[in-house]
Amino acid sequence: MTSPVPPSVPPSVTAARAVVADLVRQGVRDVVLAPGSRSAPLAYALAEAADAGRVTLHVRVDERTAGFLALGLSRGAGPDLVHAGGEPVEVPRPVAVVTTSGTAVANLHPAVLEAHHARVPLVVLAADRPHELRGTGASQTTDQVGIFGTGVRYAVDVPAPDGRDGEVRDLLGTLGRALAAAQGLRDGYPGPVHVNLGFRDPLHPPAPLAGLAESPAPGEAAPTGGPGRTIVVPPAPGPGSDPALPGDPARTLVVAGDGAGPVARAVAEAQGWPLLAEPSSGSCGGPNAVAAYRSVLGVDELARDVEHVVVLGRPTLSRPVQRLLGRTDVAVTVVAPGGGPWPDAARNAAAVVPALADRWSSPTGSAGARAGADGDFLARWQAASRAAAGVVAAATSDEAVAAGLLTAPHAALAVARAVASVLGPDDLLVVGSSNPVRDLDLVLGLDHPQAGDLPDVLANRGLAGIDGTVSTATGAAHAAARQGRRTRALVGDLTFLHDAGGLLRGPSEPAVDLEIVVVNDDGGSIFATLEHGELAVSSAAGAATFERVFGTPHGATLANLCAGYGVDHQLVLDVGSLRHALRAPTRGVQVIEVRVPRADRLAETRELAAQVAAAVREVL
Ligand SMILES: Cc1ncc(C[n+]2csc(CCOP(=O)(O)OP(=O)(O)O)c2C)c(N)n1
Ligand SMILES: [Mg+2]
């Protein structure tokens, strides 16, 4: 018997460790980190360095705050003495700030501009997706290269490390130039620098996470064979194009991502195709909608029959959907109206079409006639959906959470369900990124037998930031109120705190009615459900690291915070009270805080997924 090969350290982790060690070597004493997933390699490396006393780490949830904290640390530190051969020279001490990708980076801009004009050496280390995922519609991915414009002394985009010989040396060479520029070593003109660091999965050290089955991050299911070149169909000159869809139309799924619109459901129903619809797709519900589809997709006996997927809108919520879209035995048709890049994070699209002709959403059209060919396919998915809905409904029923939200398993899901259940078709629900939108994805529709009864759901899925959500909801509430519609928001605690400033309204400013349900689990629960969650349950030390750089508990008293802004606050402890509060009329901005546990999120998520899969297998 051969002994098992020890898991190797991923290139992302090796590179991040080298970066942190080099920062320390070059005199950086303080690093400010804002939590995120793409920046995980740097978070792990910083936690290691901080534990060893090599650097002082400051974790802040809000990147705008993190940027200014770094600026202040640099200004307050006074100069460093550099021995450059002869007399020691005084140079300003650089401080680094680390963020994840997307709007997180843009939140640093005010501090970068201040540092630019005040000549403060600020080293921005911004994590980014690897090049192959940029411009593909992958979640939290924008053009970060050059984002700070002329506000930085030096900007560099470092490709994701892949283990090439010499890449760490090259990376440190680049970092050395960045630090020299930040400190103004060559030109006496210190200031901010931007080192953009691509990171490719895996993003965590192998131990103690070695036991975890590797699952690709969204959009990173690498196709092995692939469909060859994607066929991009230009819009037809006349009204409505009518592309022939590849794949077997009978074994087609419709994936409706953010902004897909009602056409996705219309096509699915007209063609007899199962529908996997994200909450903000505008096409949720109906007889073909598959409940808890992200767990249902894990049932191989069902998923393997799929030969064709039609994608409308931009799907970003779940890995199982991205894996489906990356399958080389599945033909993917992306329907992408208008200009701009089409979504294909899995780089597997067979065809990109500007629109589907009307006949695809009309049951009487010729395409419709073909559709019923494999009614068995749809029936299997519908049976699976009923089984899945039964499991999720039971797990989040009033009986299951009778003991109160603070203690119940699946408490956050029960909250999302309670919120969804009281809303009708004239209501608007603004939902925050992270778990609230994913929880809603599992429960939306459970208590609405008719698709037409569902509320409108709005989410900032363009870059899936946790920033600005209170303000987005406030703006949406103003606009919806003009149409006589009522608005509620469902957000996580970190999302709420990130934009607490959005609660501020001067006395002469237009008022609005808005109810904000804050699911307060004292931190970011989503990270527990990603690979990093393994760390939390691996050992006491692992749990401490997880809490510090991913979980980020804050202990903030939301009641006092709301009181400070003159905003109504109510703490509810059970689902009945939550429903009651939601049904009462809203006056001004009102916060309903629901406290839920975070510790068991990984186990609960896995268990529910396993229960759904088991129930689905039983009915196949
Ligand atoms: C501006 C911004 N910064 C960082 C992130 C990375 N991020 C994604 S989810 C998350 C935690 C959110 O926590 P919370 O709002 O409490 O929701 P929970 O995960 O607990 O459901 C963070 C920090 C992001 N998406 N956007
Ligand atoms: Mg939270």
Side-chain angles (χ1 to χ4, degrees):
M1 239 178 74
T2 53
S3 54
V5 181
S8 57
V9 176
S12 66
V13 173
T14 305
R17 284 178 177 157
V19 164
V20 170
D22 201 58
L23 289 176
V24 172
R25 207 165 26 244
Q26 301 210 45
V28 172
R29 278 198 219 134
D30 294 276
V31 180
V32 186
L33 167 76
S37 191
R38 192 55 40 180
S39 48
L42 288 163
Y44 286 111
L46 285 166
E48 281 165 14
D51 285 348
R54 294 195 292 273
V55 75
T56 302
L57 177 62
H58 311 259
V59 181
R60 294 293 184 278
V61 170
D62 178 342
E63 294 81 9
R64 190 164 60 110
T65 307
F68 279 108
L69 178 64
L71 180 99
L73 280 161
S74 176
R75 298 202 85 161
D80 194 12
L81 287 181
V82 171
H83 297 266
E87 286 297 294
V89 192
E90 281 194 349
V91 293
R93 185 178 285 279
V95 174
V97 55
V98 175
T99 73
T100 191
S101 61
T103 56
V105 187
N107 277 294
L108 296 175
H109 213 145
V112 164
L113 289 183
E114 175 58 27
H116 168 45
H117 291 281
R119 303 176 176 232
V120 179
L122 189 67
V123 181
V124 172
L125 300 173
D128 201 348
R129 299 268 169 172
H131 283 73
E132 64 272 19
L133 283 176
R134 301 184 191 173
T136 68
S139 188
Q140 260 177 274
T141 310
T142 187
D143 187 1
Q144 296 178 192
V145 178
I147 192 168
F148 300 114
T150 53
V152 285
R153 302 285 179 276
Y154 179 84
V156 63
D157 183 32
V158 182
D162 57 10
R164 171 180 64 80
D165 273 355
E167 74 178 3
V168 168
R169 187 200 54 210
D170 292 345
L171 171 60
L172 297 189
T174 301
L175 191 64
R177 287 174 188 277
L179 274 147
Q183 292 173 285
L185 292 185
R186 307 255 312 157
D187 56 6
Y189 186 36
V193 297
H194 172 199
V195 183
N196 203 61
L197 294 162
F199 286 122
R200 193 175 287 121
D201 285 18
L203 304 173
H204 55 79
L209 312 173
L212 188 76
E214 202 53 68
S215 52
E220 300 195 22
T224 45
R229 193 154 169 257
T230 306
I231 297 167
V232 181
V233 179
S241 60
D242 193 4
L245 300 180
D248 178 347
R251 295 186 171 184
T252 295
L253 294 184
V254 176
V255 166
D258 182 57
V263 64
R265 188 169 74 224
V267 169
E269 289 176 8
Q271 301 302 316
W273 292 335
L275 170 69
L276 319 185
E278 294 189 358
S280 60
S281 62
S283 49
C284 290
N288 293 22
V290 179
Y293 57 85
R294 62 180 191 251
S295 301
V296 172
L297 280 172
V299 178
D300 212 33
E301 299 89 304
L302 190 68
R304 69 180 172 216
D305 291 344
V306 179
E307 293 178 357
H308 178 216
V309 179
V310 179
V311 180
L312 295 106
R314 192 164 73 95
T316 54
L317 278 195
S318 79
R319 293 181 181 194
V321 166
Q322 293 301 336
R323 276 197 284 272
L324 169 75
L325 299 179
R327 262 172 54 182
T328 51
D329 62 333
V330 169
V332 175
T333 302
V334 175
V335 183
W342 61 89
D344 181 23
R347 286 97 68 212
N348 191 38
V352 178
V353 301
L356 292 177
D358 289 347
R359 69 187 184 94
W360 287 97
S361 43
S362 129
T364 50
S366 56
R370 245 189 305 164
D374 194 349
D376 195 40
F377 178 75
L378 175 63
R380 274 161 66 81
W381 282 87
Q382 284 173 322
S385 176
R386 282 190 295 274
V391 170
V392 180
T396 55
S397 69
D398 283 9
E399 298 73 53
V401 293
L405 293 164
L406 262 176
T407 49
H410 307 302
L413 273 181
V415 171
R417 181 174 176 186
V419 172
S421 74
V422 300
L423 305 186
D426 292 333
D427 291 314
L428 176 65
L429 176 62
V430 179
V431 64
S433 291
S434 203
N435 273 331
V437 66
R438 291 176 173 83
D439 290 345
L440 189 69
D441 189 40
L442 280 179
V443 299
L444 187 66
L446 281 186
D447 300 304
H448 291 85
Q450 302 293 324
D453 298 342
L454 286 168
D456 256 2
V457 177
L458 188 154
N460 280 345
R461 296 307 301 167
L463 279 176
I466 61 162
D467 47 344
T469 311
V470 172
S471 302
T472 302
T474 306
H478 274 289
R482 280 183 211 129
Q483 304 146 22
R485 302 170 66 203
R486 186 172 166 184
T487 304
R488 273 81 150 208
L490 174 69
V491 301
D493 50 317
L494 298 188
T495 302
F496 178 74
L497 291 168
H498 208 293
D499 193 27
L503 296 175
L504 189 64
R505 179 182 61 86
S508 27
E509 295 312 305
V512 72
D513 295 336
L514 168 68
E515 219 155 21
I516 307 174
V517 178
V518 182
V519 189
N520 186 1
D521 52 16
D522 196 22
S525 65
I526 192 155
F527 299 114
T529 63
L530 304 177
E531 292 78 358
H532 318 296
E534 279 297 300
L535 180 71
V537 293
S538 62
S539 65
T545 298
F546 174 85
E547 282 298 283
R548 177 115 205 256
V549 298
F550 295 112
T552 59
H554 46 79
T557 312
L558 303 194
N560 293 352
L561 188 143
C562 290
Y565 283 106
V567 163
D568 190 80
H569 171 277
Q570 195 180 155
L571 178 68
V572 302
L573 297 173
D574 62 82
V575 175
S577 315
L578 174 59
R579 283 208 201 96
H580 185 75
L582 283 162
R583 286 202 180 106
T586 315
R587 294 275 167 272
V589 176
Q590 297 184 307
V591 168
I592 303 177
E593 176 186 357
V594 218
R595 299 230 185 106
V596 302
R598 178 163 59 84
D600 299 326
R601 191 80 204 214
L602 175 64
E604 285 175 12
T605 303
R606 286 183 174 171
E607 196 184 299
L608 191 66
Q611 281 174 13
V612 167
V616 169
R617 283 197 183 94
E618 248 174 57
V619 296
L620 285 183

